[in-house]
Amino acid sequence: MPDDAGCGGIVHIVAPFGRDASSVAAVLVTAGLDTRVAPSLEALGDALDDHAGVVLITEEAVAGGTEVLLARLSRQPAWSDLPVILLRSPRAHRRSPFESLLPRTVNVVELDRPLGSISLLSAVQGALRARAKQFLVRDQMRALADSRTALARSEAELRLIADAMPVLIAFVDRSLHYRFANKAYEAWFELPVGEVIGKHIRDVVGSQVLEERLPAMERVLAGEERVFEVSWPTREGRRRDCEVRYTPRRAVDGTIDGFHVFATDITVAKLALEASRQHAHELETVVAERTRELKAQMAAREASEAALRQSQKMEAIGQLTGGIAHDFNNMLTGILSALDIVRLRLEMGRVDDLERFLDTATASSQRAAALTQRLLAFSRRQSLDARPVELNELVGSMQHLLRSTLGETVRIHTDVADAPLHATLDANQFESALLNLAINARDAMPTGGALTLRTFPVRLAEGERTSVPAGDYAVVAVADTGTGMPPEVVERAFEPFFTTKPIGKGTGLGMSMVYGFMQQSGGHIAIDSTPGQGTTISLFIPLVDAAAEPEPTTPAAPMALGDGQSILVVEDDPQVRMLVTVVLEDLGYQVEVVGDADEAMPVLASSRRIDLLVTDVGLPGLNGRQLAEIARQSRPTLPVLFMTGYAEKAQERAAFLEPGMSMIAKPFLLDAFSDAVRGAMADTAQDANA
C-alpha cells in the first residue's frame, strides 16, 4: 500500500502573490507535511497525480480563471474527490463577501484571510485525513480490480470500507428506493442498514426533506451532478452541517439507473469559516475605529496648520505695514516739506529756486504712485493695456536699463529664441516685472555674479509641470548664480507680504506683483532654486499668432489749450474734483462739475452742449462705466474719458472701453491729462468725419 494512504498525500500550493507560497509552505513543513509549490494553475494541473493529497490556492491564483483547474479535476477517477482549500481575500476587498469562486461540484473549503497558522494547519490536516480515506478507497478498489476471483470478498471489504467511513454512502434507484447504504445510516437515522435498503427515501428522511430535495434528485436522474449544503442536527440536538452530493450512475448500456448519495459532515469547516469571518469583521471594526481616529487627528492637524498659516500671515502683514509705512512716510515727508518751503517763500515774497522744491514734491508723489501700482499689481486689480508684443524685442530693449540698474558687479547674458515669440500683454507692466526679478537676483548676489535672460518656446503636456497647465508658451527665464532659496522659502515666495528682507528694505510685494501680473495676463510663473547654486524664475506666457504690423504712432504734440469746449466732470473726491476743474479751466475749457452719477444725469438729459464726459470709474451708486452707458443712450457720439485709481472691472482696458472711450490712471501729471482730454475729443471727431 503506498505511503500516501497513511499520510494523506502531498499538499500542492499555488499562491502567486509575494511570499505567500513560501510562508504557507513553511508552516506546513514545520508540521511534517510534504509540500509542492506551483507558480500557476497550469503548472498545478501538470503536477497533480494520484499522490496529491490536497490543493491549497489563494484567491489571487484563480483571478485569471479556473478553467484549467476545473478541467483537471473533472478527469479524476471515480474514487477521487481531491480536497481544495481556497484562501480568500478579506471581505472588505471583495465585490461580494459570500460569493463562491469555485463551483459546488468541487470539494472546496473556503477560508477568509487573515488566517492564523493553527487554523491553517488544522484545515489542511483535516483535508488530508479525508483524502487519506479516499486513498484507502482507491487502494481497495484497485485490489478488487486485481482479483476477480475474490469478488465476493472484495465486495465485503468494500462494504467494510464504506461502513468505516464517517460519511453517508448510498445508492438510490430511479424509483427512489435505497439499494445500498453504509452503517453511517444507523448512526444518523437510528435504523439498521438492513431496514434502510429497500425503503423509499420518504420512509427514511421524511416527507418534508424529500419535498425539499426532490428537484435535485430529478436533475441528477437527468444526468446532472448536484451538490448542496444542509443543516442536519444530531439526535442530541447538536449542530451538524452537511454537504450532500448526488452523482448519477450509468448502467452498461449508458442509461442512468439511479444515483449515489454522499453526505459529509462539514461542521468543523463551517465553524472555521465562520470564525474566520468573525475575525475579519472584528478586524474591519478595528480598522474603522482607527480610521475615525486618523480622521480626527488629520482634522486637528489641519486646524493647527490653518492657525499657523494665519499667524504667519499676520506676521507678514506686520512686515508689510512696517515697509509701506516707512516708504510712505519718506514720500509724504518729501511732498509736505517741499510744499511748506514753497508756501513759506511765497509768504516772504521769494520766488527764486521754487522749481527745485516743486520737483522734489513731484518726485515723491511719483514714488508713491509707483508703490500704489505695485500694490494693485499684487492684488491683480491694476488696469492693463494688453497689446500684441514680440518678447525677444522687449527683452532686448531692456539691456541698457538692466545694466545701469544692476551695476558693474553683475554680468548680464542674454539668450533669445531664434524665432519671434508673439504674445499679448501690457509691455510696461512686463518690463516692470522683469526689472523686479532682475533686482531680486542682484540682491541674491551680494558679491556679484551672473544674470542670464533666456527666451524660448515650449509645448507642455498635461502634468509635465504641476503649476502650469498644458499648452504652448513663450518662456522668459531669469537665472542668477546667487545664494538660492530653501524649499520653505520657495513655497512662500508668492505669498502676499512675505519677504526675507529686513523691515524698511522691502514690502514683500515684488514677487507678488509679478505673480499677480502673470495671473492677470493668463500666464504662469515657476521657481527652480538650489541653495548655494542660484535661482531660475520662469515666466510662462501663452503664445499667440503674429499680429498685423501696428500703425506708426505720431509723436506726442505739445500740451495745447482748449477752445471753449464744454466738459462735464463727475468726481466724488472734492480735492481731485477741484484740481481737475482748475486744470481744465486753465487750459481754456468750459467746465461743469458734479459729485456723482445722480447729479450728472439731469445735465446729460438736458439740451445743453457737452463735448466731453470726464468721469471717475469708482463713483458711489452708479459707477462711471454705467453712467457712460446711460449718457450714450441720448448722446451716442459723446466722447468719454475715464479716470481710475482702482476699479475691479477696469482691469482689462480692451474689454472695458468701447469706441470713443479712453482711460487715464490716477495719479496723472498735467501734460498727460491735457493730452488725454485733447485725444479723447480728437478721436471722436475723426470717427465722426469717417
Side-chain angles (χ1 to χ4, degrees):
M1 181 179 298
D3 292 340
D4 52 18
C7 68
I10 300 169
V11 180
H12 290 269
I13 302 170
V14 183
F17 184 81
R19 301 184 67 256
D20 287 353
S22 60
S23 299
V24 171
V27 172
L28 302 181
V29 169
T30 302
L33 301 180
D34 190 6
T35 63
R36 300 286 188 279
V37 176
S40 63
L41 293 183
E42 291 78 3
L44 172 67
D46 296 336
L48 291 181
D49 55 22
D50 288 350
H51 300 288
V54 61
V55 171
L56 193 153
I57 58 177
T58 61
E59 185 171 342
E60 292 84 357
V62 300
T66 60
E67 293 79 5
V68 174
L69 176 62
L70 296 179
R72 180 62 182 84
L73 294 178
S74 66
R75 297 195 299 271
Q76 296 182 84
W79 60 266
S80 177
D81 190 16
L82 182 62
V84 178
I85 296 177
L86 174 62
L87 300 183
R88 300 206 58 171
S89 300
R91 287 189 299 157
H93 301 288
R94 303 205 301 263
R95 181 182 60 192
S96 177
F98 302 104
E99 179 185 10
S100 179
L101 297 176
L102 294 173
R104 291 296 184 183
T105 56
V106 178
N107 182 13
V108 61
V109 173
E110 297 184 358
L111 301 178
D112 285 352
R113 290 179 288 177
L115 186 67
S117 300
I118 296 177
S119 299
L120 174 65
L121 185 59
S122 176
V124 172
Q125 289 175 333
L128 288 174
R129 287 194 295 270
R131 184 61 169 171
K133 294 176 181 178
Q134 295 180 22
F135 287 150
L136 185 60
V137 172
R138 175 199 65 186
D139 296 335
Q140 292 293 338
M141 291 176 66
R142 288 176 177 174
L144 291 174
D146 292 340
S147 179
R148 293 185 178 181
T149 58
L151 180 59
R153 180 176 60 82
S154 297
E155 290 179 351
E157 289 183 359
L158 183 59
R159 158 64 69 178
L160 291 175
I161 294 171
D163 289 343
M165 296 184 66
V167 178
L168 289 181
I169 301 176
F171 175 73
V172 180
D173 64 17
R174 297 190 65 85
S175 65
L176 303 185
H177 287 80
Y178 284 100
R179 297 307 177 194
F180 176 87
N182 68 343
K183 289 186 70 66
Y185 272 81
E186 293 185 2
W188 287 43
F189 294 98
E190 299 183 355
L191 288 174
V193 174
E195 295 184 15
V196 172
I197 296 175
K199 283 185 177 292
H200 194 278
I201 287 183
R202 181 189 303 105
D203 300 330
V204 177
V205 301
S207 300
Q208 181 178 352
V209 173
L210 175 62
E211 183 178 353
E212 294 172 354
R213 302 180 189 173
L214 188 58
M217 296 178 184
E218 291 173 347
R219 297 184 68 173
V220 73
L221 289 174
E224 182 179 346
E225 185 177 45
R226 304 300 299 164
V227 180
F228 53 90
E229 294 180 6
V230 295
S231 176
W232 206 328
T234 65
R235 287 178 297 173
E236 296 79 10
R238 294 194 307 272
R239 171 181 174 177
R240 180 168 58 189
D241 297 299
C242 298
E243 180 188 82
V244 179
R245 182 186 300 266
Y246 292 162
T247 303
R249 190 182 80 173
R250 298 183 181 275
V252 177
D253 59 1
T255 60
I256 298 174
D257 60 359
F259 60 91
H260 296 286
V261 178
F262 302 93
T264 306
D265 187 342
I266 60 171
T267 306
V268 174
K270 293 285 286 187
L271 289 174
L273 178 60
E274 291 171 2
S276 175
R277 289 174 176 170
Q278 178 63 26
H279 176 69
H281 177 72
E282 293 172 355
L283 183 60
E284 290 173 2
T285 303
V286 172
V287 170
E289 180 63 29
R290 181 56 180 159
T291 301
R292 285 192 293 270
E293 292 176 0
L294 290 175
K295 287 182 178 179
Q297 294 174 3
M298 290 175 64
R301 179 178 178 181
E302 290 173 358
S304 299
E305 290 176 348
L308 177 60
R309 285 194 297 269
Q310 182 64 22
S311 174
Q312 292 172 337
K313 188 175 296 184
M314 295 305 296
E315 179 183 355
I317 290 175
Q319 291 179 329
L320 168 75
T321 305
I324 291 180
H326 177 273
D327 288 349
F328 264 112
N329 282 335
N330 287 340
M331 299 166 194
L332 292 174
T333 298
I335 296 170
L336 295 175
S337 298
L339 294 177
D340 282 343
I341 293 174
V342 171
R343 183 180 292 109
L344 178 62
R345 291 201 174 189
L346 289 174
E347 291 174 354
M348 297 170 59
R350 294 178 56 186
V351 294
D352 59 300
D353 204 25
L354 293 183
E355 185 176 353
R356 179 161 61 96
F357 302 107
L358 292 175
D359 289 343
T360 299
T362 300
S364 296
S365 300
Q366 290 173 339
R367 287 176 57 202
L371 179 57
T372 303
Q373 191 67 19
R374 293 177 68 191
L375 289 168
L376 288 174
F378 139 68
S379 64
R380 287 177 278 174
R381 295 295 185 267
Q382 62 184 333
S383 177
L384 294 182
D385 188 13
R387 298 177 183 273
V389 298
E390 204 287 303
L391 293 174
N392 292 333
E393 293 180 1
L394 268 183
V395 172
S397 67
M398 292 190 64
Q399 297 303 304
H400 179 72
L401 175 62
L402 291 176
R403 294 185 191 282
S404 62
T405 301
L406 302 184
E408 297 180 354
T409 61
V410 177
R411 302 183 305 278
I412 301 177
H413 306 285
T414 304
D415 180 13
V416 298
D418 295 332
L421 300 176
H422 297 281
T424 301
L425 46 73
D426 188 316
N428 291 332
Q429 294 299 327
F430 172 78
E431 292 173 350
S432 177
L434 202 60
L435 183 60
N436 249 305
L437 296 178
I439 292 173
N440 281 350
R442 178 200 64 189
D443 294 344
M445 299 183 290
T447 60
L451 177 74
T452 301
L453 300 177
R454 292 184 61 218
T455 66
F456 56 92
V458 66
R459 172 170 292 179
L460 294 182
E462 191 67 40
E464 187 172 345
R465 267 192 176 265
T466 56
S467 60
V468 184
D472 293 324
Y473 296 95
V475 179
V476 179
V478 181
D480 63 61
T481 58
T483 56
M485 294 183 283
E488 60 271 16
V489 173
V490 172
E491 185 177 352
R492 301 186 60 193
F494 300 126
E495 284 188 15
F497 323 130
F498 176 75
T499 178
T500 57
K501 300 177 182 179
I503 293 178
K505 297 297 184 181
T507 61
L509 288 174
M511 291 298 291
S512 296
M513 183 197 74
V514 178
Y515 179 83
F517 167 65
M518 291 307 300
Q519 291 290 305
Q520 198 173 350
S521 302
H524 305 274
I525 184 170
I527 299 179
D528 299 290
S529 185
T530 302
Q533 298 183 18
T535 299
T536 299
I537 298 180
S538 302
L539 306 181
F540 291 82
I541 304 169
L543 281 171
V544 300
D545 294 332
E549 289 294 327
E551 296 181 2
T553 57
T554 58
M559 183 172 60
L561 300 178
D563 191 20
Q565 293 95 331
S566 176
I567 298 178
L568 174 61
V569 176
V570 187
E571 171 60 61
D572 60 315
D573 186 283
Q575 294 179 344
V576 176
R577 189 164 62 236
M578 181 270 292
L579 293 172
V580 169
T581 302
V582 171
V583 169
L584 292 175
E585 288 177 345
D586 288 350
L587 290 174
Y589 298 104
Q590 296 181 10
V591 183
E592 183 162 353
V593 184
V594 295
D596 56 31
D598 292 338
E599 296 180 28
M601 283 193 289
V603 179
L604 292 168
S606 68
S607 60
R608 74 183 68 178
R609 175 184 172 185
I610 300 176
D611 296 304
L612 175 65
L613 171 63
V614 178
T615 177
D616 186 22
V617 176
L619 295 172
L622 292 176
N623 62 41
R625 186 63 176 83
Q626 293 169 327
L627 176 62
E629 291 180 2
I630 295 174
R632 287 262 176 116
Q633 292 178 5
S634 57
R635 301 172 184 263
T637 61
L638 176 66
V640 181
L641 174 61
F642 293 108
M643 302 179 294
T644 178
Y646 158 73
E648 182 176 355
K649 295 184 179 179
Q651 297 166 30
E652 187 65 44
R653 297 189 185 191
F656 185 80
L657 301 177
E658 293 181 359
M661 296 181 179
S662 56
M663 181 184 296
I664 185 170
K666 300 177 184 177
F668 44 74
L669 298 177
L670 177 61
D671 56 349
F673 183 62
S674 170
D675 290 343
V677 170
R678 183 167 51 83
M681 290 189 289
D683 291 344
T684 305
Q686 292 175 1
D687 293 342
N689 293 332

